[in-house]
Amino acid sequence: MALAHLLYRSSGRLDRFGSDCAAILQTARRRNGSLGLTGFLHAEDGIFVQWLEGPEESVEEVSQSILADKRHRDIAVFSRGPIDARQFPDWTMGYSDGDQALLFDFLAERGTNSHDLRGYADCLHQFLLLRAA
Ligand SMILES: Cc1cc2nc3c(=O)[nH]c(=O)nc-3n(C[C@H](O)[C@H](O)[C@H](O)COP(=O)(O)O)c2cc1C
């Protein structure tokens, strides 16, 4: 079965970020579980970064829901498409949040900026893997 992924960053609704995160996670874990999807969501300072992976058709179906979801905007897709192996096999949707601007520090330490799409995507991917470890 062909595996695919989606990696993006978006901006959530600041006034209800906490309650949105809780509701999103609940739905995500239920639906991902039934579709065989796995991945990781990091939420920090109103920003979401998410990696979603699994069977190509299911990733496509859920990606369409996510990209149309009104609970976030300014969605920047950094990579999507086929992958050889799952990166987060143990998580129907892992989750972390960063009260201490962890993501921003991580990106700044590596001098990464979003003009270098490939480098930025690699950095977000590495960050999520570290959060999941
Ligand atoms: C940042 C963010 C991440 C989300 N992640 C997932 C996810 O991993 N899996 C999922 O099923 N829904 C996820 N959702 C929720 C979907 O957008 C959607 O509300 C849900 O899948 C129900 O789909 P439906 O409204 O088309 O039935 C996410 C939403 C947001 C805003």
Side-chain angles (χ1 to χ4, degrees):
M1 189 191 329
L3 291 173
H5 83 291
L6 169 73
L7 173 67
Y8 69 87
R9 187 198 63 206
S10 63
S11 304
R13 302 185 294 190
L14 273 180
D15 53 337
R16 43 193 134 160
F17 195 58
S19 56
D20 277 353
C21 285
I24 287 166
L25 210 52
Q26 198 177 22
T27 314
R29 286 180 172 154
R30 191 181 59 237
R31 193 171 177 201
N32 294 354
S34 71
L35 290 172
L37 295 171
T38 49
F40 205 90
L41 175 68
H42 178 75
E44 173 177 321
D45 205 18
I47 298 290
F48 292 115
V49 175
Q50 187 179 30
W51 177 285
L52 181 71
E53 64 188 11
E56 209 169 16
E57 280 180 16
S58 304
V59 169
E60 187 50 39
E61 181 186 324
V62 172
S63 295
Q64 283 180 21
S65 297
I66 294 175
L67 298 176
D69 198 311
K70 296 278 181 281
R71 290 171 290 187
H72 60 171
R73 61 189 162 75
D74 300 335
I75 304 171
V77 174
F78 288 108
S79 67
R80 69 192 300 182
I83 46 171
D84 293 333
R86 286 184 195 259
Q87 306 290 301
F88 302 92
D90 301 331
W91 306 88
T92 49
M93 186 47 62
Y95 177 77
S96 73
D97 50 24
D99 291 337
Q100 301 126 3
L102 296 166
L103 172 62
F104 295 108
D105 288 349
F106 186 86
L107 294 170
E109 276 163 20
R110 282 158 186 78
T112 312
N113 68 67
S114 50
H115 298 298
D116 169 18
L117 278 186
R118 181 68 191 271
Y120 196 79
D122 285 347
C123 218
L124 292 181
H125 180 199
Q126 289 307 318
F127 176 78
L128 293 176
L129 285 172
L130 279 174
R131 301 302 291 163

